[in-house]
Amino acid sequence: MDLQLTGRVAVVTGASKGIGLAVVRTLLAEGARVVAASRKSSAELDALAGANLVHVPVDLMDPEAPGRVVERAVEEFGGLDVLVNNAGGPPPGVSLPRFGFLTPTDDDWREMFEFNLFSAVRAIRAAIPVMLGRGGGAIVNVSSVLARQPAPMNVDYNAAKAGMNTLTKVLSEEYGPQGIRVNTVSPGPVLTAWWTEEGGAADIIAGQAGTDRESVLRNVAPEMMNLTIGRLVDPQEIADMVALLASPRSAGTTGAEFAVDGGFLKAV
């Protein structure tokens, strides 16, 4: 299926690895021109280098950074059609999961909201005038199923993602009549660096469960989360949904949330 993304301009945040890298790779394969934003590049992102890809090294904890990324898209490619707010998860220097409501401090809450919600708010604020000038566009916010099924861990992260879901609904109502579609993709547990890095989620859970990282990734986490497919989700499976929602082929879809979670959510 032709997603009709050839020549369209996209910004992807958190683009150097994991879900963001998969989104960049997928949009490029569909013919889009992509501005990839992350604190630093990666060998995998560098391997995609070409005329249709620009990397902008920014720290999205900086309130001015999202606006600079959108400005770069206009400078390099003349506008903006697609914004993918993918940056999220543990803020720089933070390891998750954290257990219990009393664990995160005020500073932890502020950092979590800065990275997982406010960076997206600022990117959208910068993107909307540019999109309106081109007659519309598509915004895809990467949230989490934990926004809808929270647990007594990562309480600050869960709350930030719940805010993103609400933001998506509000924006879709305000800007849908003007041609800007806004949707959410909510991943479940995805096989990314958040899980696999040393000191990451797999190591933390392994310490709690008295096992090792590989056992957590292969068996413990899927069983603990009751994943229907019996494994963590692959980043490409998230990227495919993001690309579809970014596409004009999804012109009738706005204000919607799509869980790509391996069957984590069980509620109707």
Side-chain angles (χ1 to χ4, degrees):
M1 180 171 66
D2 179 9
L3 294 183
Q4 301 173 8
L5 289 169
T6 299
R8 294 182 183 268
V9 181
V11 161
V12 180
T13 65
S16 64
K17 56 186 177 181
I19 294 171
L21 177 67
V23 170
V24 171
R25 185 183 294 116
T26 302
L27 293 179
L28 288 172
E30 292 292 334
R33 295 174 289 175
V34 181
V35 174
S38 60
R39 282 180 294 149
K40 56 186 179 180
S41 190
S42 64
E44 294 83 359
L45 184 59
D46 291 343
L48 301 175
N52 285 339
L53 176 63
V54 173
H55 176 246
V56 182
V58 290
D59 180 355
L60 292 172
M61 299 287 278
D62 174 2
E64 303 301 319
R68 291 200 299 270
V69 175
V70 172
E71 288 174 3
R72 188 69 180 277
V74 175
E75 291 169 2
E76 294 286 341
F77 298 127
L80 181 64
D81 304 295
V82 176
L83 170 63
V84 181
N85 285 308
N86 167 71
V94 174
S95 294
L96 296 179
R98 286 191 291 230
F99 298 93
F101 169 72
L102 295 178
T103 301
T105 65
D106 280 1
D107 286 342
D108 293 329
W109 277 86
R110 291 188 190 98
E111 288 182 355
M112 191 66 72
F113 269 68
E114 282 287 344
F115 192 46
N116 284 277
L117 181 59
F118 298 157
S119 67
V121 168
R122 291 164 181 145
I124 293 166
R125 187 184 292 142
I128 280 176
V130 181
M131 289 183 172
L132 290 176
R134 290 164 74 88
I139 298 171
V140 183
N141 294 322
V142 179
S143 183
S144 169
V145 291
L146 293 176
R148 287 204 283 138
Q149 189 167 309
M153 64 180 181
N154 304 334
V155 59
D156 45 350
Y157 172 79
N158 301 344
K161 291 303 190 181
M164 177 168 276
N165 288 6
T166 299
L167 175 67
T168 296
K169 290 286 189 182
V170 171
L171 291 168
S172 70
E173 284 295 305
E174 181 171 358
Y175 291 101
Q178 300 173 69
I180 298 177
R181 298 182 299 105
V182 191
N183 292 290
T184 299
V185 175
S186 290
V190 182
L191 194 60
T192 64
W194 179 353
W195 281 86
T196 60
E197 283 182 341
E198 185 174 352
D203 283 347
I204 293 171
I205 293 172
Q208 294 276 332
T211 186
D212 59 82
R213 181 191 304 177
E214 289 306 314
S215 294
V216 169
L217 294 173
R218 186 176 58 253
N219 299 315
V220 175
E223 291 173 6
M224 179 178 67
M225 299 180 182
N226 195 20
L227 300 183
T228 305
I229 64 174
R231 61 169 174 82
L232 272 62
V233 176
D234 188 277
Q236 186 61 52
E237 294 164 336
I238 310 295
D240 291 340
M241 179 60 75
V242 170
L244 181 60
L245 291 173
S247 164
R249 300 296 293 264
S250 294
T253 303
T254 192
E257 180 199 6
F258 295 86
V260 185
D261 65 352
F264 176 77
L265 289 174
K266 308 296 185 186
V268 175

